[in-house]
Amino acid sequence: MTTTITPTTNKPATTPVSDEDLTRGSLPRLLDRYGGKTAWYVFALGLALFVLAPIVLFYSRAFGDGAVAVRNLTNVPNLATILFNTVVLAAGATVVAGVLAVALAVLVMRVPIRWRGFAAFLPQLGLVIPPVATIVGWIFIFAPTVGYGNTLLRSLPFFERMSEGPVDVYSMPAIILITGTELAGIVFAFVFARLHEISGSLVAAAKLSGASAFRSFTTITLPLLRPSLVAALVVAFLLGLGQFTAPLLLGSADGIDVLTTEIFHIREKFPIDYAATAALGLPLLVLGIGSILLQRAVIGDQRRYVTQGVGGSVSTQTSRWALAAVVFYTFVTCIVPLLAITLVAFSPFWNGDLTDMSFTTKHVETTLANPIVTGAVWNSITVSIIAALVVLPLGFIGALVMSGVVKAPRPIQYILDFVFVGPLAVPRAMLGLAVLYVFLRPPFNLYGTLALFVVGYIFIVLPFSLRSQHASLVGVHSSLFEAAKICGASQLRTIVDVALPLTKRGMAASLAVMLVLLSHDFAVSVMLRSPGNHVMGTAIYEFWEGGVYPQVAVMALVMSGVTGILLALTVWVGGRSALQNM
């Protein structure tokens, strides 16, 4: 029997690829074949160089000239008190944030289902309102002499003989409480998301066994919250260590300094002593890295906290009183400060007297006609959008690697993980100084340009560009991507046709978070400011320094309005999911 072999017409594998072949889909195959490990190492190391090199170069200044700056720390007046204030503020604010966040998460889970989505957003409303606006609002309420709240309290019989107070917004307890309520929204986001993942059957079983609601919460729900709660508290503590806005605006009046404000005072002198600022920032860096390591040690293997079954039913009892409590909390912490700002903005004078009110639009018209304000608003929007659009694809690439959609060498995963998380360990005020130190020198020479703000803003939002996009991909079963490859799709086409649509919600959420954070940034903006170049954060600081409080109030309202508009546009483009995933 003779077997006839019919020659095939396929091209040999060594046939060169023509331009026509590239247009027919060979380009993705070429990228798959030749991109390889080298491209990943170039990307990861290039990103690490851009992000980590400025931080390392800046902190290395502390060890120049035989570490003279570190040795001179003992000459800093009241250094022990400054360190104590820094730790107390961070620890106190973290405790306040943790207690409020857990209580709010439990209350929201008890809200009737038809209102639960609305109630879940309310504790995070404080993240949308610029912190500087909230702080200014509390100053207008509880300034010792002319604060609206203090004036009202002094009309009561018990306080009628007092000429000031009884509440002092410029005290350490007030700074801790205000900072804690600001951080509560961040902790709530972590805790509430985890509550949805906990199997309700476990809580139901505890109740059937006779456990009270409190005991089932403390013995089942709270231990299962441990990974998210510890992670959230570490983030809150890191942000508390780097607090700058509240200590600067509230602590300066009574001489309450923390490390960031002491560094700012050095930055305001010319020439800037970068070695001294770097040396003062070292304790913050050490505490930040130590907190991250402690978090991983405490949590350990996260698989211990995985539950089987359907989550989202930790609390089976619903109550309208829970909704009322969440609304009341939001009204007190967010709406009341905004109302105080509005009163000052539209009143002829800020005298704290609520019994004789008159209104005028003079301050609003004067402020909005100021070219500094209009320029600052436009600059903020421009640099925020540019920075977000630069960082968004970087976060997408990082999410592809960290979720396993793209098979990259394991060292690449470690490098990218460290690069994206690294800026969180550095307080924003220090990030601003690091960017200023590196990028105002040759070959960059960006001092006095908006490009300097863009670079600084990239450092702020880089960690947040990864989180939501990674969450969108990590929950997708790998079989979906494997099926695409079995059907002949190249890696590039799998990314474009499968991974990219799946991350639409995560991209929208990342974009929303980034625009909100950047539009009301204060710490990095103030550190990078230069004469004639303003964003909204620097403009409001200039008005504050000049003591023009009606213009401060108007500028705070403008910042809140711009942030709200940017958030609304993002939600309009990305849908309600952008808001739900913030």
Side-chain angles (χ1 to χ4, degrees):
M1 184 178 195
T2 305
T3 303
T4 304
I5 301 176
T6 304
T8 61
T9 57
N10 292 338
K11 295 181 180 181
T14 57
T15 301
V17 180
S18 64
D19 293 339
E20 184 179 358
D21 292 328
L22 293 179
T23 61
R24 292 180 180 174
S26 294
L27 179 59
R29 288 194 294 271
L30 283 178
L31 292 177
D32 283 343
R33 183 179 301 175
Y34 299 112
K37 298 181 180 180
T38 303
W40 281 117
Y41 278 107
V42 169
F43 171 76
L45 294 177
L47 188 60
L49 183 66
F50 173 79
V51 175
L52 302 179
I55 298 173
V56 173
L57 288 174
F58 171 70
Y59 278 107
S60 66
R61 291 285 296 157
F63 301 98
D65 299 326
V68 64
V70 176
R71 296 198 302 270
N72 287 340
L73 285 177
T74 55
N75 300 327
V76 176
N78 302 318
L79 178 62
T81 303
I82 293 172
L83 286 170
F84 178 78
N85 290 341
T86 302
V87 176
V88 167
L89 171 58
T94 301
V95 171
V96 172
V99 172
L100 288 176
V102 172
L104 288 168
V106 173
L107 285 173
V108 171
M109 293 300 293
R110 290 181 175 272
V111 170
I113 294 179
R114 63 177 298 189
W115 296 104
R116 191 168 294 174
F118 170 72
F121 172 69
L122 290 180
Q124 300 177 81
L125 182 62
L127 301 177
V128 179
I129 300 174
V132 65
T134 305
I135 293 167
V136 168
W138 287 119
I139 291 173
F140 291 153
I141 295 171
F142 288 121
T145 306
V146 292
Y148 292 118
N150 276 327
T151 302
L152 188 62
L153 288 173
R154 288 198 297 269
S155 66
L156 301 177
F158 190 75
F159 303 111
E160 59 183 356
R161 294 185 179 181
M162 301 180 67
S163 59
E164 289 186 355
V167 180
D168 184 7
V169 75
Y170 300 116
S171 63
M172 177 59 82
I175 297 174
I176 291 174
L177 188 60
I178 292 172
T179 303
T181 55
E182 176 191 339
L183 298 177
I186 297 174
V187 180
F188 172 85
F190 282 83
V191 173
F192 186 68
R194 176 58 182 158
L195 278 178
H196 276 283
E197 299 171 357
I198 296 176
S199 175
S201 60
L202 296 176
V203 179
K207 291 181 179 179
L208 289 175
S209 301
S212 63
F214 177 78
R215 184 167 185 182
S216 64
F217 174 78
T218 55
T219 57
I220 296 177
T221 305
L222 195 58
L224 290 174
L225 280 176
R226 181 175 168 185
S228 295
L229 186 58
V230 170
L233 293 178
V234 168
V235 171
F237 184 72
L238 291 175
L239 294 175
L241 285 175
Q243 272 298 302
F244 176 70
T245 309
L248 181 66
L249 299 183
L250 299 177
S252 299
D254 281 359
I256 301 174
D257 276 318
V258 294
L259 283 172
T260 53
T261 56
E262 183 66 21
I263 290 168
F264 176 71
H265 297 325
I266 298 175
R267 182 252 184 258
E268 292 298 277
K269 300 174 182 178
F270 186 82
I272 302 175
D273 190 347
Y274 288 105
T277 58
L280 277 171
L282 284 175
L284 296 175
L285 184 65
V286 172
L287 287 171
I289 295 174
S291 299
I292 294 175
L293 295 176
L294 179 63
Q295 168 196 339
R296 298 192 174 185
V298 170
I299 294 177
D301 186 0
Q302 297 194 34
R303 290 174 296 181
R304 295 180 298 163
Y305 306 96
V306 175
T307 60
Q308 300 295 327
V310 180
S313 56
V314 172
S315 175
T316 57
Q317 298 178 347
T318 61
S319 171
R320 293 184 178 181
W321 287 108
L323 176 61
V326 176
V327 171
F328 177 75
Y329 169 84
T330 306
F331 177 78
V332 171
T333 58
C334 298
I335 307 302
V336 169
L338 287 180
L339 290 175
I341 293 171
T342 305
L343 282 178
V344 175
F346 287 94
S347 298
F349 306 98
W350 174 36
N351 56 13
D353 189 1
L354 292 172
T355 60
D356 184 22
M357 297 294 298
S358 59
F359 300 97
T360 178
T361 59
K362 178 182 67 175
H363 302 306
V364 176
E365 294 170 357
T366 302
T367 304
L368 295 182
N370 190 332
I372 292 179
V373 174
T374 54
V377 171
W378 176 251
N379 289 342
S380 286
I381 295 174
T382 302
V383 298
S384 297
I385 292 176
I386 292 174
L389 293 179
V390 169
V391 171
L392 193 64
L394 297 177
F396 177 66
I397 296 174
L400 291 175
V401 176
M402 303 304 295
S403 61
V405 174
V406 172
K407 302 299 181 183
R410 187 166 295 275
I412 299 299
Q413 299 182 24
Y414 293 139
I415 294 173
L416 291 179
D417 186 21
F418 188 72
V419 168
F420 278 98
V421 176
L424 281 179
V426 184
R428 290 187 186 176
M430 305 305 299
L431 281 177
L433 272 178
V435 171
L436 187 67
Y437 172 69
V438 173
F439 289 93
L440 63 77
R441 301 168 181 273
F444 305 104
N445 297 319
L446 297 183
Y447 184 76
T449 67
L450 291 180
L452 189 64
F453 286 104
V454 173
V455 174
Y457 285 4
I458 287 174
F459 276 78
I460 295 175
V461 296
L462 191 64
F464 302 95
S465 67
L466 175 68
R467 177 186 168 191
S468 296
Q469 297 186 74
H470 178 255
S472 298
L473 291 176
V474 76
V476 179
H477 199 277
S478 60
S479 61
L480 185 62
F481 303 105
E482 293 171 0
K485 294 178 181 178
I486 291 174
C487 292
S490 65
Q491 184 167 283
L492 182 60
R493 187 167 183 179
T494 302
I495 293 172
V496 173
D497 292 346
V498 181
L500 191 59
L502 289 172
T503 54
K504 180 182 176 181
R505 293 179 60 179
M507 282 188 173
S510 291
L511 192 60
V513 171
M514 289 190 288
L515 291 179
V516 166
L517 289 175
L518 296 181
S519 61
H520 58 54
D521 173 71
F522 184 79
V524 171
S525 299
V526 170
M527 289 295 183
L528 296 179
R529 78 190 193 283
S530 58
N533 253 341
H534 284 289
V535 291
M536 290 189 293
T538 63
I540 197 171
Y541 180 71
E542 293 293 329
F543 293 144
W544 176 267
E545 281 286 278
V548 190
Y549 296 114
Q551 291 188 355
V552 172
V554 175
M555 195 67 218
L557 290 178
V558 169
M559 290 183 71
S560 302
V562 170
T563 303
I565 292 172
L566 290 175
L567 180 61
L569 290 175
T570 306
V571 173
W572 179 64
V573 173
R576 291 185 60 187
S577 58
L579 200 61
Q580 295 168 355
N581 287 276
M582 280 187 60

